[in-house]
Amino acid sequence: MFSKLSVVVTSVLITLAAAIPNTTPPVTPPTSNQCCNSVVPASNGAASAVAALLGLDLSGLLVDVGLSCSPITVIGNDCGGTSVTCDAPDKEWGGLIAINCIPITL
């Protein structure tokens, strides 16, 4: 009985995993000043985990990724993290991740 249940549960999990689309985000020129808690390579495990939650596939991207980012609205303020310019559409990614981050030098 338990073996049948485990087969059913495994089948459901595989079906759900296949149903979640993974898309590679486009790497566009950075346009948004962001304050990120950390900036790591796209190949970093933490970046991959956050991207997977959002349905993004970062494999093969050779750019830096910002994690836990918020927009910088005033130039010169101390964000307490890493100030970068990224592609960070808030509507899609909700500040969890930003792609193609380049450090801001003032």
Side-chain angles (χ1 to χ4, degrees):
M1 169 134 175
F2 288 111
S3 63
K4 288 181 183 180
L5 179 61
S6 65
V7 169
V8 170
V9 169
T10 303
S11 298
V12 169
L13 291 175
I14 290 171
T15 303
L16 287 174
I20 298 172
N22 274 347
T23 58
T24 301
V27 177
T28 59
T31 58
S32 177
N33 292 337
Q34 298 284 317
C35 178
C36 300
N37 284 348
S38 62
V39 177
V40 297
S43 59
N44 180 280
S48 296
V50 171
L53 291 173
L54 298 170
L56 301 173
D57 180 11
L58 300 181
S59 61
L61 292 183
L62 300 175
V63 297
D64 286 335
V65 175
L67 301 175
S68 297
C69 301
S70 59
I72 296 174
T73 55
V74 178
I75 298 297
N77 68 339
D78 181 23
C79 78
T82 304
S83 299
V84 289
T85 300
C86 304
D87 179 20
D90 192 46
K91 182 178 177 184
E92 290 94 354
W93 303 336
L96 294 174
I97 195 167
I99 306 294
N100 195 20
C101 295
I102 299 170
I104 295 175
T105 54
L106 299 175

